[in-house]
Amino acid sequence: MSFETLLTERRDRVAIITLNRPQALNALNSTVMRELRQLLGELETDSGIGAVVLTGSEKAFAAGADIKEMQSLDFVDAYTGGFIGGWDEIAGFRKPIIAAVSGFALGGGCELAMMCDFIIASKTAKFGQPEITLGIIPGMGGSQRLTRAVGKAKAMDLCLTGRMMDAAEAESAGLVARLVEPERLLDEALEAAAKIAAFSLPAVLMAKEAVSRAFEQTLTEGLRSERRLFHSLFATQDQKEGMAAFVEKRKPAFRNR
Ligand code: HXC
């Protein structure tokens, strides 16, 4: 099977998925997310696969949701059309999925990495939720999963200032499970995935389910309210300004409206 925005490979019982939109630093548009969900759906029922590694390029795991695709969206379309609805189905993938992150994991890219079961990062990785700089907020779990992973102080810092956190800070904050030299990234993730894939599948699925349950209680409500807030920001002029400024490569002039 071939995809427009993904590369796929199998190594024994491990599937490797590589996000492949290099011209846009792997920005997550609707095609990427549709293809990713389709592929994961197939891997979930594929008895030959026991674990998945999701990765990007050396420069970017993913630099966020695609700003050019979101730029002209308004509130009513975002809300009634359920914009990004279903994107977080990835968090419901039942087999273990490891994010191997090098370079930028920003906005939706950071959120996608956090939907995986754990993150192995190269020392070059940079994490952040820069949505505030565009006049919006995280919409795919950033305000919820990041807060659970690193605590309120750092989550507030990242979501309110839009600053990036380097790989060492992300590891010490608890967002990253393992930090490795750039050239070790894929091998480290593949070895971890192969080890998991060699264990009993029912036990692995239940271990994932059990840990996820501890992590996710009350997450549903948090995500629901986050989605409403995220949609409503497409009613603001500042969202249009923030995204136009990005596309036009200039500083935004926010008017607080
Ligand atoms: C669309 C993007 C993009 C994005 C980068 N590009 N990020 N296109 N959406 N999120 C494009 C650029 O427009 C540019 O295209 C090309 O990728 C290379 O990017 P540069 O900016 O030239 O690279 P560089 O100078 O190295 O800067 C890297 C960067 C910067 C710091 C990561 O690209 C950046 O700030 N990107 C946006 C990060 C961001 O704000 N993410 C959050 C998005 S909102 P051209 O055509 O000019 O060459 C979000 C909401 C999630 O994620 C909520 C729901 C899913």
Side-chain angles (χ1 to χ4, degrees):
M1 193 186 338
S2 78
F3 295 96
E4 189 186 319
T5 63
L6 306 175
L7 301 173
T8 63
E9 203 189 317
R10 278 171 186 250
R11 301 255 180 106
D12 197 17
R13 286 182 50 75
V14 175
I16 309 168
I17 306 175
T18 306
L19 302 170
N20 186 36
R21 286 191 77 212
Q23 72 287 3
L25 301 184
N26 291 332
L28 305 170
N29 63 9
S30 32
T31 307
V32 177
M33 297 309 282
R34 180 175 40 74
E35 291 187 339
L36 192 53
R37 285 154 63 201
Q38 184 194 337
L39 176 57
L40 288 175
E42 281 156 19
L43 294 173
E44 190 158 284
T45 53
D46 183 337
S47 59
I49 290 297
V52 175
V53 171
L54 177 63
T55 193
S57 68
E58 209 178 305
K59 178 157 183 194
F61 176 75
D66 192 310
I67 299 169
K68 291 165 191 167
E69 202 176 70
M70 289 185 290
Q71 189 181 1
S72 58
L73 193 68
D74 68 19
F75 166 71
V76 173
D77 287 341
Y79 179 66
T80 58
F83 174 55
I84 70 170
W87 286 20
D88 49 8
E89 276 170 17
I90 289 162
F93 180 63
R94 294 182 68 211
K95 291 176 179 169
I97 176 165
I98 301 172
V101 175
S102 172
F104 299 111
L106 302 177
C110 186
E111 294 172 308
L112 177 61
M114 291 190 292
M115 280 195 267
C116 296
D117 297 315
F118 61 95
I119 298 173
I120 299 183
S122 145
K123 289 186 172 163
T124 63
K126 285 188 177 352
F127 297 87
Q129 298 291 159
E131 288 90 342
I132 197 78
T133 67
L134 299 166
I136 58 168
I137 64 168
M140 206 165 63
S143 68
Q144 305 298 301
R145 291 195 179 92
L146 184 66
T147 308
R148 281 164 169 75
V150 305
K152 178 182 167 188
K154 263 196 204 298
M156 281 286 191
D157 180 1
L158 293 178
C159 290
L160 290 176
T161 68
R163 81 168 171 92
M164 293 183 212
M165 176 159 74
D166 68 19
E169 183 180 358
E171 189 204 24
S172 67
L175 181 63
V176 162
R178 304 184 197 180
L179 191 55
V180 295
E181 295 297 334
E183 58 278 10
R184 267 291 301 160
L185 179 67
L186 197 57
D187 284 344
E188 185 86 13
L190 284 172
E191 284 163 21
K195 185 167 192 177
I196 294 166
F199 292 133
S200 158
L201 183 64
V204 163
L205 296 184
M206 285 189 205
K208 169 165 175 164
E209 188 181 329
V211 176
S212 301
R213 195 161 291 174
F215 184 73
E216 280 171 5
Q217 270 166 8
T218 76
L219 183 63
T220 309
E221 280 310 309
L223 291 171
R224 188 168 295 144
S225 59
E226 178 190 71
R227 184 64 46 88
R228 293 291 166 262
L229 296 169
F230 175 73
H231 285 159
S232 67
L233 285 164
F234 286 87
T236 68
Q237 294 168 14
D238 281 346
Q239 171 267 330
K240 296 290 170 294
E241 169 60 12
M243 295 195 179
F246 175 82
V247 170
E248 292 158 18
K249 301 183 188 295
R250 61 174 172 81
K251 272 200 171 341
F254 291 127
R255 296 170 55 222
N256 307 323
R257 301 191 62 81

